Amino acid sequence: MTSILKNRLFWPAAILVVLLVVNMFTSRQFVTVQDGHLFGTLIDILRNSAPLILVGLGMTLVISTGGIDLSVGSVMAISAAVACLLIQDLDDQNSVGPVLLIIGIAIVVSMLMGLWNGALVAIIGIQPIIATLILMVAGRGIAQLITDGQIINVQSGPYATIASGFFAALPVALLIAVAATVLILLLTRRTALGLLLESVGGSPTASRLAGIGARRITIMVYVVAGGLAGLAGLIYSANIKSADSISAGNLIELDAILAVVIGGTALVGGRFSIAGTVLGAVLIQTLAVTVVAVGIPSEANLLFKAVVVVALCLFQSPTLREKVFGRLTPRTARAEVPA
């Protein structure tokens, strides 16, 4: 039992369960079936978690190499602006083929934004926080230039499907997030890529001397992070059927970093947890829904969220866990420390 309590993911999972139980008693429909589709508070939480999960996955890969990406929110805005602008110019916005092509174009543009970040960090040698801060600031301006400072509305059924559609009774947005998670898990845990990421994050110099292409790997993770952020931006804009360059992805980089930290990934690079990041993203979204459900005033939402996060980080602290749970362990069961 003590070993379970000491696990970094135990407390996030425990708090998530508590929040879900609260929602079970406060919501009118926690889970229900309508017209063969799943609906309810739980499904809404999972569906609305999809953009944060996607951004968090990319942030996890970047942080695992010792970097950071503050531009993901701006990349979301750029992706949404490009997609909605092109869809608006279509003669038939409900044509599946052109809409899929436009979605692909928006993701490619987002990956190019990631390539820009990766080049600044890996080739030019700018600190990641500064390199991505450049695009974080400029990206909003780029998105507003694309939309001419206006909110672009679209009425495309195929485009809206990626946010509000269903497949096999489950939301398409959730399935997209699950597919991305499974793919990244397979690449990082079933191939040597995960070890290479941890090596680069642990010591870029030692990795380079060992023959690992640290620069290529660094550029790659920023490109992937850009693509995932772009996909998250598409889901966000498809949900509201418009491109809002100011609101799209606003401050999502902070929630993504928080989800990564909650999941147990080291901010200094090296150790990372994909499953932990997904758990952290769902926890953050569940917390946001619970705050509203229990009737906490909107003015206190951020404060309540901060209190929960601080408590969670304290529970995850190795020093605190050792002091608290170490006392619960019988002395005879404790390992002797050699002198």
Side-chain angles (χ1 to χ4, degrees):
M1 185 63 183
T2 303
S3 61
I4 296 177
L5 293 176
K6 288 183 177 181
N7 190 292
R8 289 186 62 89
L9 296 183
F10 172 79
W11 290 108
I15 293 178
L16 176 60
V17 170
V18 171
L19 293 176
L20 290 176
V21 170
V22 171
N23 279 278
M24 187 181 300
F25 288 100
T26 56
S27 61
R28 295 181 179 179
Q29 292 182 336
F30 188 67
V31 179
T32 185
V33 179
Q34 297 179 8
D35 299 327
H37 301 319
L38 292 175
F39 287 94
T41 303
L42 177 61
I43 303 304
D44 290 339
I45 289 173
L46 295 176
R47 179 176 56 193
N48 294 332
S49 297
L52 182 56
I53 290 174
L54 292 171
V55 174
L57 291 174
M59 188 71 73
T60 302
L61 298 179
V62 170
I63 290 178
S64 70
T65 62
I68 197 76
D69 191 349
L70 300 180
S71 67
V72 287
S74 296
V75 173
M76 286 180 60
I78 293 173
S79 174
V82 170
C84 289
L85 180 66
L86 295 177
I87 290 176
Q88 187 184 55
D89 292 337
L90 291 176
D91 294 331
D92 182 9
Q93 295 188 13
N94 292 316
S95 181
V96 177
V99 170
L100 289 178
L101 178 60
I102 289 172
I103 289 174
I105 292 174
I107 293 176
V108 169
V109 171
S110 302
M111 295 175 71
L112 290 176
M113 297 296 102
L115 179 62
W116 165 262
N117 286 334
L120 291 181
V121 174
I123 298 177
I124 299 180
I126 300 177
Q127 289 291 327
I129 192 171
I130 301 300
T132 57
L133 183 62
I134 294 172
L135 186 58
M136 175 186 178
V137 175
R140 292 286 172 185
I142 294 173
Q144 291 187 48
L145 286 174
I146 294 174
T147 61
D148 197 23
Q150 304 297 318
I151 296 178
I152 300 178
N153 298 311
V154 295
Q155 298 297 326
S156 173
Y159 187 60
T161 298
I162 65 176
S164 56
F166 285 83
F167 179 79
L170 294 174
V172 173
L174 174 61
L175 294 177
I176 292 174
V178 170
T181 302
V182 172
L183 178 60
I184 292 179
L185 275 173
L186 291 176
L187 291 175
T188 56
R189 296 309 180 192
R190 297 299 180 183
T191 69
L193 179 60
L195 179 60
L196 296 178
L197 292 175
E198 292 178 342
S199 299
V200 172
S203 177
T205 302
S207 300
R208 187 167 58 253
L209 294 175
I212 298 175
R215 288 183 177 177
R216 291 195 299 271
I217 290 177
T218 300
I219 293 174
M220 178 197 69
V221 295
Y222 279 100
V223 171
V224 172
L228 291 173
L231 183 56
L234 296 177
I235 293 176
Y236 176 87
S237 65
N239 188 45
I240 61 176
K241 297 181 180 180
S242 63
D244 187 346
S245 301
I246 297 178
S247 299
N250 186 35
L251 298 181
I252 196 173
E253 56 273 358
L254 301 183
D255 281 342
I257 295 172
L258 180 58
V260 170
V261 173
I262 290 175
T265 297
L267 284 178
V268 295
R271 184 187 73 249
F272 68 95
S273 172
I274 299 298
T277 295
V278 174
L279 175 62
V282 176
L283 173 60
I284 291 173
Q285 181 61 36
T286 306
L287 178 60
V289 172
T290 306
V291 167
V292 177
V294 298
I296 295 178
S298 58
E299 296 82 2
N301 283 356
L302 295 178
L303 178 59
F304 179 78
K305 181 178 179 180
V307 170
V308 173
V309 169
V310 169
L312 179 58
C313 290
L314 288 175
F315 281 129
Q316 285 187 305
S317 169
T319 303
L320 180 65
R321 284 183 293 161
E322 181 62 30
K323 288 183 179 180
V324 175
F325 301 114
R327 296 176 181 177
L328 300 178
T329 306
R331 292 184 178 182
T332 56
R334 298 179 187 176
E336 294 291 338
V337 179

